[in-house]
Amino acid sequence: MITEIADYRLIKLIGTNGSEVWLAKKNGKQYVVKIPKMNILKTFTRKDIEEFLEKAETWKKLSEKHENIVKIYEYGLKPLPYIVMEYCETNLREILREKGNLSIEETKDIAVKILEALNIAHHHGVVYRDIKPENILFHEEKPKIGDWGIAKILLRTTTKTGYTGTPMYSAPEQLDPKEYGEVDWRTDIWQIGCLLYEMITGEPPFQAEYPGRLAFKILTEEPEPITTAPQ
């Protein structure tokens, strides 16, 4: 079992979702280290390695351009592919779980900062595609977009197809690209709308017990209107 990567001591496994996410320390400071799961690494091809490096470099450059993007300190391939990023104490999902919903002022403050960060990404040809409360992280109370793992680089053509994202926050084009067209920057705007709705009401705009019903609601129905502004 690996206990150290690039001089970062792995302290505690804090997440698993395609990657192992570790709390790490170096020189007394906390970091987060992401490592692809071993079963995924076993199937890595040269193209996968190239894509990993491209996404890591893109994320690092974006994080240097805007403070509301989780900062990447370094990345590499030995002893395993890894990304080292800043440690964030919590995320929007945890905040909503604790508070229920946010005030209009709190919602506006978070939304403006996230939109500014997305604007930087869009100007560099990157669409995030997975805006949701779990991916809005907070470091010293500052909101930051984290986990750019499925971000699509629009300036590069790709042969990969298939669904990417989180069903509950999906835009119509993610569910039915033949009908609604390809994913682009407007996908992020749709998802920001879903995020705003949930911050204000405490509930996502579209919910259903089954994935098929959820997709149908997103494609054909309007969410319940917000009738009472939170205090």
Side-chain angles (χ1 to χ4, degrees), residues 160-174:
K160 289 191 175 183
T161 59
Y163 173 81
T164 55
T166 301
M168 193 174 292
Y169 304 95
S170 293
E173 60 271 20
Q174 289 177 291

PDB file of all heavy atoms in Angstrom, residues 160-174:
ATOM      1  N   LYS A 160     -14.682  10.221 -28.195  1.00  0.00           N
ATOM      2  CA  LYS A 160     -15.434   9.600 -27.115  1.00  0.00           C
ATOM      3  C   LYS A 160     -16.873  10.095 -27.119  1.00  0.00           C
ATOM      4  O   LYS A 160     -17.144  11.269 -27.315  1.00  0.00           O
ATOM      5  CB  LYS A 160     -14.785   9.896 -25.766  1.00  0.00           C
ATOM      6  CG  LYS A 160     -13.470   9.148 -25.564  1.00  0.00           C
ATOM      7  CD  LYS A 160     -13.015   9.251 -24.134  1.00  0.00           C
ATOM      8  CE  LYS A 160     -11.775   8.393 -23.904  1.00  0.00           C
ATOM      9  NZ  LYS A 160     -11.341   8.423 -22.503  1.00  0.00           N
ATOM     10  N   THR A 161     -17.789   9.183 -26.900  1.00  0.00           N
ATOM     11  CA  THR A 161     -19.195   9.532 -26.825  1.00  0.00           C
ATOM     12  C   THR A 161     -19.762   8.955 -25.548  1.00  0.00           C
ATOM     13  O   THR A 161     -19.110   8.223 -24.822  1.00  0.00           O
ATOM     14  CB  THR A 161     -19.968   8.973 -28.029  1.00  0.00           C
ATOM     15  OG1 THR A 161     -19.806   7.550 -28.045  1.00  0.00           O
ATOM     16  CG2 THR A 161     -19.455   9.552 -29.342  1.00  0.00           C
ATOM     17  N   GLY A 162     -21.027   9.277 -25.276  1.00  0.00           N
ATOM     18  CA  GLY A 162     -21.662   8.728 -24.093  1.00  0.00           C
ATOM     19  C   GLY A 162     -21.967   9.807 -23.082  1.00  0.00           C
ATOM     20  O   GLY A 162     -21.454  10.914 -23.146  1.00  0.00           O
ATOM     21  N   TYR A 163     -22.812   9.446 -22.122  1.00  0.00           N
ATOM     22  CA  TYR A 163     -23.285  10.410 -21.134  1.00  0.00           C
ATOM     23  C   TYR A 163     -22.216  10.710 -20.099  1.00  0.00           C
ATOM     24  O   TYR A 163     -21.518   9.824 -19.626  1.00  0.00           O
ATOM     25  CB  TYR A 163     -24.525   9.850 -20.437  1.00  0.00           C
ATOM     26  CG  TYR A 163     -24.976  10.710 -19.292  1.00  0.00           C
ATOM     27  CD1 TYR A 163     -25.736  11.844 -19.527  1.00  0.00           C
ATOM     28  CD2 TYR A 163     -24.601  10.414 -17.988  1.00  0.00           C
ATOM     29  CE1 TYR A 163     -26.130  12.656 -18.483  1.00  0.00           C
ATOM     30  CE2 TYR A 163     -24.993  11.223 -16.938  1.00  0.00           C
ATOM     31  CZ  TYR A 163     -25.761  12.341 -17.194  1.00  0.00           C
ATOM     32  OH  TYR A 163     -26.143  13.144 -16.159  1.00  0.00           O
ATOM     33  N   THR A 164     -22.075  11.984 -19.747  1.00  0.00           N
ATOM     34  CA  THR A 164     -21.233  12.391 -18.625  1.00  0.00           C
ATOM     35  C   THR A 164     -21.983  13.440 -17.831  1.00  0.00           C
ATOM     36  O   THR A 164     -22.642  14.306 -18.393  1.00  0.00           O
ATOM     37  CB  THR A 164     -19.892  12.981 -19.094  1.00  0.00           C
ATOM     38  OG1 THR A 164     -20.141  14.052 -20.005  1.00  0.00           O
ATOM     39  CG2 THR A 164     -19.024  11.931 -19.764  1.00  0.00           C
ATOM     40  N   GLY A 165     -21.866  13.374 -16.524  1.00  0.00           N
ATOM     41  CA  GLY A 165     -22.550  14.338 -15.678  1.00  0.00           C
ATOM     42  C   GLY A 165     -23.279  13.638 -14.551  1.00  0.00           C
ATOM     43  O   GLY A 165     -23.070  12.457 -14.278  1.00  0.00           O
ATOM     44  N   THR A 166     -24.149  14.380 -13.878  1.00  0.00           N
ATOM     45  CA  THR A 166     -24.963  13.856 -12.788  1.00  0.00           C
ATOM     46  C   THR A 166     -26.422  14.003 -13.190  1.00  0.00           C
ATOM     47  O   THR A 166     -26.869  15.124 -13.461  1.00  0.00           O
ATOM     48  CB  THR A 166     -24.682  14.628 -11.485  1.00  0.00           C
ATOM     49  OG1 THR A 166     -23.285  14.501 -11.170  1.00  0.00           O
ATOM     50  CG2 THR A 166     -25.514  14.073 -10.339  1.00  0.00           C
ATOM     51  N   PRO A 167     -27.191  12.905 -13.261  1.00  0.00           N
ATOM     52  CA  PRO A 167     -28.551  12.958 -13.822  1.00  0.00           C
ATOM     53  C   PRO A 167     -29.427  14.075 -13.274  1.00  0.00           C
ATOM     54  O   PRO A 167     -30.107  14.765 -14.042  1.00  0.00           O
ATOM     55  CB  PRO A 167     -29.110  11.574 -13.473  1.00  0.00           C
ATOM     56  CG  PRO A 167     -27.907  10.688 -13.467  1.00  0.00           C
ATOM     57  CD  PRO A 167     -26.792  11.531 -12.899  1.00  0.00           C
ATOM     58  N   MET A 168     -29.428  14.296 -11.966  1.00  0.00           N
ATOM     59  CA  MET A 168     -30.342  15.263 -11.369  1.00  0.00           C
ATOM     60  C   MET A 168     -30.075  16.695 -11.829  1.00  0.00           C
ATOM     61  O   MET A 168     -30.963  17.544 -11.809  1.00  0.00           O
ATOM     62  CB  MET A 168     -30.260  15.180  -9.842  1.00  0.00           C
ATOM     63  CG  MET A 168     -31.381  15.897  -9.112  1.00  0.00           C
ATOM     64  SD  MET A 168     -31.305  15.617  -7.322  1.00  0.00           S
ATOM     65  CE  MET A 168     -31.700  13.870  -7.234  1.00  0.00           C
ATOM     66  N   TYR A 169     -28.848  16.970 -12.270  1.00  0.00           N
ATOM     67  CA  TYR A 169     -28.484  18.330 -12.673  1.00  0.00           C
ATOM     68  C   TYR A 169     -28.184  18.419 -14.173  1.00  0.00           C
ATOM     69  O   TYR A 169     -27.620  19.407 -14.636  1.00  0.00           O
ATOM     70  CB  TYR A 169     -27.271  18.794 -11.863  1.00  0.00           C
ATOM     71  CG  TYR A 169     -27.510  18.710 -10.374  1.00  0.00           C
ATOM     72  CD1 TYR A 169     -27.109  17.590  -9.649  1.00  0.00           C
ATOM     73  CD2 TYR A 169     -28.181  19.721  -9.696  1.00  0.00           C
ATOM     74  CE1 TYR A 169     -27.358  17.490  -8.287  1.00  0.00           C
ATOM     75  CE2 TYR A 169     -28.433  19.629  -8.335  1.00  0.00           C
ATOM     76  CZ  TYR A 169     -28.022  18.512  -7.641  1.00  0.00           C
ATOM     77  OH  TYR A 169     -28.280  18.408  -6.298  1.00  0.00           O
ATOM     78  N   SER A 170     -28.574  17.399 -14.912  1.00  0.00           N
ATOM     79  CA  SER A 170     -28.236  17.339 -16.330  1.00  0.00           C
ATOM     80  C   SER A 170     -29.049  18.325 -17.154  1.00  0.00           C
ATOM     81  O   SER A 170     -30.242  18.528 -16.919  1.00  0.00           O
ATOM     82  CB  SER A 170     -28.470  15.927 -16.872  1.00  0.00           C
ATOM     83  OG  SER A 170     -27.559  15.025 -16.295  1.00  0.00           O
ATOM     84  N   ALA A 171     -28.392  18.903 -18.152  1.00  0.00           N
ATOM     85  CA  ALA A 171     -29.071  19.737 -19.136  1.00  0.00           C
ATOM     86  C   ALA A 171     -29.673  18.837 -20.213  1.00  0.00           C
ATOM     87  O   ALA A 171     -29.227  17.701 -20.406  1.00  0.00           O
ATOM     88  CB  ALA A 171     -28.073  20.713 -19.754  1.00  0.00           C
ATOM     89  N   PRO A 172     -30.689  19.320 -20.923  1.00  0.00           N
ATOM     90  CA  PRO A 172     -31.326  18.496 -21.958  1.00  0.00           C
ATOM     91  C   PRO A 172     -30.349  17.911 -22.970  1.00  0.00           C
ATOM     92  O   PRO A 172     -30.489  16.755 -23.383  1.00  0.00           O
ATOM     93  CB  PRO A 172     -32.308  19.472 -22.613  1.00  0.00           C
ATOM     94  CG  PRO A 172     -32.673  20.415 -21.510  1.00  0.00           C
ATOM     95  CD  PRO A 172     -31.399  20.599 -20.727  1.00  0.00           C
ATOM     96  N   GLU A 173     -29.334  18.682 -23.379  1.00  0.00           N
ATOM     97  CA  GLU A 173     -28.396  18.183 -24.389  1.00  0.00           C
ATOM     98  C   GLU A 173     -27.519  17.050 -23.863  1.00  0.00           C
ATOM     99  O   GLU A 173     -26.978  16.267 -24.648  1.00  0.00           O
ATOM    100  CB  GLU A 173     -27.521  19.319 -24.927  1.00  0.00           C
ATOM    101  CG  GLU A 173     -26.683  20.027 -23.897  1.00  0.00           C
ATOM    102  CD  GLU A 173     -27.396  21.205 -23.259  1.00  0.00           C
ATOM    103  OE1 GLU A 173     -28.651  21.260 -23.326  1.00  0.00           O
ATOM    104  OE2 GLU A 173     -26.708  22.063 -22.691  1.00  0.00           O
ATOM    105  N   GLN A 174     -27.370  16.943 -22.547  1.00  0.00           N
ATOM    106  CA  GLN A 174     -26.636  15.809 -21.994  1.00  0.00           C
ATOM    107  C   GLN A 174     -27.468  14.535 -22.052  1.00  0.00           C
ATOM    108  O   GLN A 174     -26.925  13.437 -22.154  1.00  0.00           O
ATOM    109  CB  GLN A 174     -26.229  16.094 -20.548  1.00  0.00           C
ATOM    110  CG  GLN A 174     -25.137  17.145 -20.407  1.00  0.00           C
ATOM    111  CD  GLN A 174     -24.824  17.456 -18.960  1.00  0.00           C
ATOM    112  OE1 GLN A 174     -25.643  18.038 -18.257  1.00  0.00           O
ATOM    113  NE2 GLN A 174     -23.645  17.066 -18.507  1.00  0.00           N
TER     114      GLN A 174
END
